[in-house]
Amino acid sequence: MFRLKAIAIDKLLVRDVMSPPVLTASKGETVSEVISKMKKNKVREIPVLDGDKPIGLVSHRVLLARRNVPLSAKVEHVMIPAPRLEEDMKILEAAEEMLSSGVRGAPVVRNHKMVGFLSRTDIVRMLPKVDELRSKKVSEIMSRNPHAVTEKETVRKAQVMMTGLDEKALPVVDDANRLIGAIGMTEVMEVIWSPKATKPPNEIMGSGRDPIDIRVGGVMNSSPTFVSPGDTLEKAVSVMMDKRLSTLFVTEEGKLVGVVSQVDLMEQVIGLLPREGVYVQITGLDVGDPEVYDILYDLIGKSMKRIDRIVSPRVFSMHVSTYHPEGLKSKHGLGARLTTSKSMYYVKSVDWDLYKATDALLDMLEANVKRDHEKQLDLVKKRKPNL
C-alpha cells in the first residue's frame, strides 16, 4: 500500500501549514454583508480586519448566540476575539491555542498584519503523514455514544443540540439507532436565513417563542458518510478531506456507535505536545463565576495526579450539558474523555449538583484506569514461566 512521506510534526511551523487569507470581513461591514459572504463561500468562520490588522472573528456559532442583533449592525459589535497566531509559532502550540479558544480557525500574523489563516482542516489534513497517529484505529479516537436526532424532530432542536455540543453536524437515526441521515449547521442556517423562516428579516434568527417547525427529515442529507471502528485514522482523514466534512460518523452493522470530529483529531495532535502534566479542557459550561472553574480544575487536577501514578494522562476533555426542568434547579450531564499514553477512556455522569457529578465522573474514570492496569498486570503474570 502506498504511504505518504512521514513528517516530524513537532518541527512544523504555522507558516508551513496555513492557507492564504482568501476571505475576510472589514470593520464597518454589516452583519448582513458578512452573512452573505459566508453563505456564498460556504465558510463557517471569517476574520474581521481593521485595514490589514485582524481584530476578531465571526462564525455561525457567534451569529446564533447573538440572534436578536439587527442585520444592519456593524460586524465589530458581534465578533469575538481571535487567538494570536504568529507565522513562526510551532504547529502543536497553535493547535493547542485554537482548541483552548474554541475556534475552528484563526488569522496568522506577521508584524501585526494578517498573512494567512490557519484552520482545523489545515492541521487535520496533514495527520496521515504523522507516524504516531496515522495507523491508529477509529475506535481509539472516536467519541462514543454520540448524540443524535430523528427525522421527525425539528430543525430548532438540532440547532440547539449542535450549539450546546459545539458540533457542526449531527447524525440522524431511526428507532433502532440505524444511521439514516445527517444534518449540519449549513442546513440549519439555510433554514434560519430562508425567506420562509417564521421571523421578520431584521433579525438573524427568531426568538425562542416562535420555533422553526421544519422537520429534520425535510432538510437532512439522506446519504451520510461513515466509516467503521476498525478503519484507520489515515482512512478517516482521507474520507473527511475528500467529502469536505468536519464530522464523520462511525457505524457497526448499520448502527451508529460513534463520531470522529475535527475536535477529536485536534486532541490527538495536542497529545503529542511535550508537556508537564495533562491538558485539560472544559466545554459547554455557561457560568460567569470563575470560582466554579477553579473548583472543577482543582478536582480534575487531583484526579489526574492519582491517575499519573498508574499511567501518564495526556489530554482530558469534559463537556457539560445543563438541563433546566421547569420549576426545578439545573441538572448537569457530564461526558468526559481521557487520552493516556496507552489508551482512551470515556465516562458519563448526571447530577443536580455539578461538583457531585464531576466527582462521580472522575471516580469512574480512575476505576476504569485501575481496572485496565490490573488486567495488564495479570497478563504479564500469566506470560511469565513458572520457576
Side-chain angles (χ1 to χ4, degrees):
M1 178 181 173
F2 174 75
R3 301 299 297 270
L4 296 171
K5 184 178 179 181
I7 59 173
I9 193 171
D10 58 318
K11 305 295 184 185
L12 282 180
L13 302 180
V14 168
R15 63 169 172 262
D16 300 323
V17 180
M18 69 183 189
S19 299
V22 177
L23 186 66
T24 61
S26 299
K27 180 182 178 182
E29 285 190 66
T30 65
V31 170
S32 178
E33 291 170 327
V34 173
I35 287 175
S36 295
K37 281 187 178 182
M38 294 172 73
K39 285 184 64 178
K40 181 179 179 181
N41 294 275
K42 297 182 179 180
V43 299
R44 297 167 179 160
E45 214 150 25
I46 183 171
V48 182
L49 305 185
D50 183 359
D52 50 14
K53 178 182 177 182
I55 57 174
L57 282 170
V58 175
S59 66
H60 282 174
R61 185 181 180 187
V62 171
L63 294 173
L64 288 169
R66 302 293 300 276
R67 57 184 176 269
N68 292 323
V69 172
L71 294 176
S72 58
K74 302 301 182 185
V75 67
E76 55 265 31
H77 296 153
V78 300
M79 68 184 185
I80 59 172
R84 183 177 178 82
L85 302 183
E86 300 279 352
E87 64 172 348
D88 57 356
M89 179 185 253
K90 287 190 174 182
I91 199 67
L92 291 179
E93 295 172 355
E96 182 176 45
E97 183 68 25
M98 288 169 58
L99 199 59
S100 298
S101 302
V103 300
R104 285 172 163 71
V108 180
V109 300
R110 178 199 306 146
N111 297 325
H112 306 290
K113 297 180 179 180
M114 184 174 176
V115 293
F117 190 81
L118 182 68
S119 68
R120 288 178 183 172
T121 300
D122 293 324
I123 297 173
V124 168
R125 183 181 290 114
M126 67 182 180
L127 298 191
K129 300 180 183 179
V130 180
D131 277 337
E132 300 97 321
L133 298 178
R134 63 184 175 188
S135 296
K136 279 195 170 188
K137 300 296 183 184
V138 167
S139 59
E140 297 178 70
I141 60 174
M142 69 183 189
S143 295
R144 301 174 186 271
N145 303 316
H147 291 267
V149 291
T150 69
E151 59 184 335
K152 296 178 182 179
E153 291 176 299
T154 65
V155 170
R156 171 63 59 80
K157 180 174 180 179
Q159 178 257 312
V160 170
M161 287 179 65
M162 278 187 262
T163 302
L165 295 168
D166 194 22
E167 293 289 356
K168 293 304 176 189
L170 282 176
V172 184
V173 297
D174 63 13
D175 294 338
N177 201 42
R178 289 187 294 264
L179 181 67
I180 61 171
I183 181 169
M185 189 60 77
T186 300
E187 287 80 26
V188 170
M189 298 304 282
E190 284 293 335
V191 170
I192 291 169
W193 291 336
S194 168
K196 298 178 182 178
T198 55
K199 288 298 286 184
N202 65 331
E203 292 183 358
I204 294 173
M205 192 180 83
S207 67
R209 293 173 299 180
D210 294 317
I212 297 172
D213 293 325
I214 297 175
R215 302 294 160 175
V216 167
V219 299
M220 73 180 190
N221 173 5
S222 299
S223 301
T225 304
F226 55 88
V227 292
S228 71
D231 287 330
T232 63
L233 177 149
E234 184 174 9
K235 178 178 178 180
V237 171
S238 176
V239 172
M240 291 174 83
M241 294 298 107
D242 183 54
K243 300 290 187 178
R244 300 182 68 180
L245 300 172
S246 61
T247 303
L248 192 59
F249 307 128
V250 187
T251 64
E252 198 164 28
E253 297 181 351
K255 293 190 176 183
L256 181 70
V257 295
V259 298
V260 175
S261 69
Q262 288 188 340
V263 172
D264 299 322
L265 295 168
M266 291 284 283
E267 286 185 1
Q268 294 295 317
V269 172
I270 65 172
L272 300 175
L273 185 64
R275 70 174 77 247
E276 291 185 8
V278 60
Y279 173 84
V280 176
Q281 184 177 40
I282 300 172
T283 58
L285 187 60
D286 187 18
V287 295
D289 187 354
E291 185 179 353
V292 174
Y293 286 94
D294 289 342
I295 294 172
L296 292 177
Y297 279 115
D298 183 59
L299 291 171
I300 294 167
K302 289 176 179 176
S303 178
M304 293 302 108
K305 285 182 180 179
R306 291 191 292 269
I307 289 174
D308 192 41
R309 297 168 189 164
I310 301 172
V311 65
S312 298
R314 290 181 175 173
V315 180
F316 175 84
S317 57
M318 184 173 79
H319 185 80
V320 182
S321 299
T322 304
Y323 309 94
H324 304 282
E326 191 172 343
L328 297 172
K329 63 180 181 178
S330 299
K331 191 173 187 178
H332 306 283
L334 275 58
R337 175 169 59 192
L338 173 67
T339 303
T340 72
S341 56
K342 294 183 178 180
S343 189
M344 187 175 288
Y345 300 89
Y346 306 84
V347 285
K348 291 185 177 183
S349 69
V350 178
D351 201 288
W352 299 106
D353 186 303
L354 177 61
Y355 304 134
K356 287 182 179 179
T358 304
D359 268 331
L361 180 139
L362 294 170
D363 286 344
M364 284 188 283
L365 187 60
E366 290 179 46
N368 290 346
V369 172
K370 289 177 182 177
R371 184 169 59 248
D372 274 6
H373 180 63
E374 289 168 358
K375 285 181 181 178
Q376 291 300 317
L377 290 178
D378 287 341
L379 287 174
V380 171
K381 288 178 182 178
K382 290 176 180 179
R383 289 171 185 163
K384 285 184 178 179
N386 292 326
L387 299 176

